[in-house]
């Protein structure tokens, strides 16, 4: 058993409180990508649900034990998911986000009935503000990746990957705060130990990857990436500690590769994905030899984009 | 029990021989479409699988009892699915298609290892040629919608819809040869009798809809629609007879509405769909009053498009 904050029995229990609309998502080979990428690619699709990202798995676990009010900081997907899960439980949900966040995500948070507070700064400032609100009002603060429920929810993707036959050689996971990577990684380490766990982050937001390589928290200055969902600057020590146990590697990719990945997923898989969801394909593009001839699964973790921005990237 | 050629026990048995990669597809509310369309819309997504359409459900049933060689006519999706299912069983698969069929579909049929024969005419000529090949070589001809396995496979979508809670007021189903409509309709008639079954066809390919209203087979001249997957001219009498039992209505929609539907699914649901898969949304656009305030589910039945053509339609 990998020694992290996570526990397989708790992850299995988490699965039982998650609305089935978020579970057992499509996992299928996309052969059209094979000649382009030089390896067999399977897609784990986390966008075909009410909030178009994997975050609903975690927020369902968060709200399962909750009453009253809850607040989180979000680049947009966690906020949407918490708004959705909270609405179902009659919770009073507040989301703090950067005013520079993806407009489509902010619109959906409002439409789902959450109170949205915008800060004039980046995601780290939103985290500070959310924490201050929680202290002031005495309400539950949901901290993505630090709160175990968010990791356990994401980890249920790992259960579904581990149950698949045939097993995969490599799993490519977008790396931001770390909930997805540590959650999925923990399960694969114990249930599919032969599968390599590779985390992928934009070179323009490299804090967690640098931290993983340095084996200590490395913070950075302002991020510079279109992958808004993974653009943190201050890794959480507890999450890094888990990531050091479960990840085989953490790699950085360029913005050009992320855009190329989005384009390939559109043209060869018919998928509109947000930049974070193309990180896995970007990693293959940047190191074809590493993946050549292997069976790779990439977690397509979100599909919330501003149509105009998406068109500008993908053309 | 609706009196059609279909049988619920056989449909449940069909489910057991279908590769799970085609089953239990996402079914989820897309709230972003609600303010645009004036009704609650849920999506049954049949594009996140190895052949990007629902046809794999049927071809899995077809090949389950088969050895040797098999031939079908196809606008592209059945051929892809038969190639995929047949490859898994070691079958020798031939697909006959119009040389004017969607290039992306023909490319995938070839890539999946099937023999592809093109005819210089439309889908009805491909059907004639496939039948001639089957007679000449003494091999199994798969006739979409006529062969019960194709309807039974499609009908497993109906099982999944009927099992969902809450139930739906209306199910919108693309109407072409009729396998999808009669299959899903049969199950809903018996398992969810309160749900209205509405079939949708392009005004440019109206043969089956006209036949349904006339209660007898009506053939037409050349079709004129971008919805290649449903562009038949000669309805099959046995399929029409079933459709008369299970459908509440059959409506025609314009090309402009189909394109508007594709655009809405792209912008508000992040889905790249082929024209046939936008027929349901097109029907809502053309008759908003009919659906106002109701809970509608639309089966997004396929996502195979030529990127250039798609861009030309959706802009």
């Amino acid at each position: 058993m990998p020694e992290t904050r996570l526990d397989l029995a708790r992850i299995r229990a988490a699965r039982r409180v998650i609305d089935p609309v978020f579970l057992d998502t499509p996992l299928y080979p996309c052969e059209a990508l094979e000649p382009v990428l030089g390896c067999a690619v399977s897609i784990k699709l986390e966008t075909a649900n009410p909030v178009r990202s994997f975050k609903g798995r975690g927020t369902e676990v968060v709200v399962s034990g909750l009453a009253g009010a809850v607040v989180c900081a979000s680049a947009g997907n966690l906020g949407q998911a918490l708004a959705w899960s909270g609405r179902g439980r009659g919770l009073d949900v507040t989301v703090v986000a950067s005013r520079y966040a993806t407009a489509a995500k902010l619109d959906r948070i409002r439409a789902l009935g959450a109170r949205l507070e915008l800060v004039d700064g980046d995601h780290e400032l939103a985290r500070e503000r959310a924490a201050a609100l929680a202290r002031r009002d005495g309400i539950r603060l949901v901290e993505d990746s630090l709160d175990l429920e968010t990791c356990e929810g994401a980890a249920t993707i790992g259960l579904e990957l581990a149950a698949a036959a045939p097993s995969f050689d490599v799993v490519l996971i977008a790396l931001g705060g770390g909930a997805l990577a540590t959650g999925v990684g923990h399960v694969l380490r114990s249930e599919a130990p032969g599968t390599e766990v590779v985390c992928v982050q934009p070179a323009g937001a490299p804090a967690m990857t640098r931290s993983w390589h340095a084996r200590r928290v490395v913070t950075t200055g302002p991020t510079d990436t279109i992958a808004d969902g993974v653009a943190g600057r201050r890794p959480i020590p507890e999450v890094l500690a888990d990531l050091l146990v479960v990840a085989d590697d953490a790699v950085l990719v360029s913005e050009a590769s992320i855009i190329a990945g989005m384009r390939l997923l559109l043209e060869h898989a018919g998928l509109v994905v947000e930049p974070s969801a193309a990180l896995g394909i970007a990693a293959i593009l940047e190191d074809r030899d590493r993946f050549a001839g292997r069976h790779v699964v990439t977690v397509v973790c979100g599909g919330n984009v501003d149509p105009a921005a998406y068109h500008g990237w993908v053309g």
Side-chain angles (χ1 to χ4, degrees), chain A residues 61-121:
Chain A
V61 186
V62 167
V63 305
S64 69
L66 216 55
V70 59
V71 59
C72 75
S74 172
N77 281 342
L78 179 71
Q80 256 187 90
L82 190 61
W84 195 90
S85 295
R87 188 182 63 178
R89 297 262 173 175
L91 301 182
D92 179 22
V93 176
T94 300
V95 178
V96 184
S98 163
R99 65 174 68 255
Y100 309 108
T102 298
K105 294 179 178 178
L106 301 180
D107 289 345
R108 294 304 310 150
I109 290 169
R110 286 190 198 96
L112 287 161
R115 182 181 309 111
L116 179 64
E117 183 174 320
L118 298 179
V119 298
D120 192 21

Side-chain angles (χ1 to χ4, degrees), chain A residues 266-291:
Chain A
L266 178 67
E267 287 185 3
H268 297 280
L271 297 175
V272 174
V273 308
E274 60 182 270
S276 308
L279 287 166
I281 301 296
I284 301 171
L285 288 172
E286 292 207 359
D287 197 354
R288 288 166 184 273
D289 288 349
R290 175 177 187 165
F291 301 103

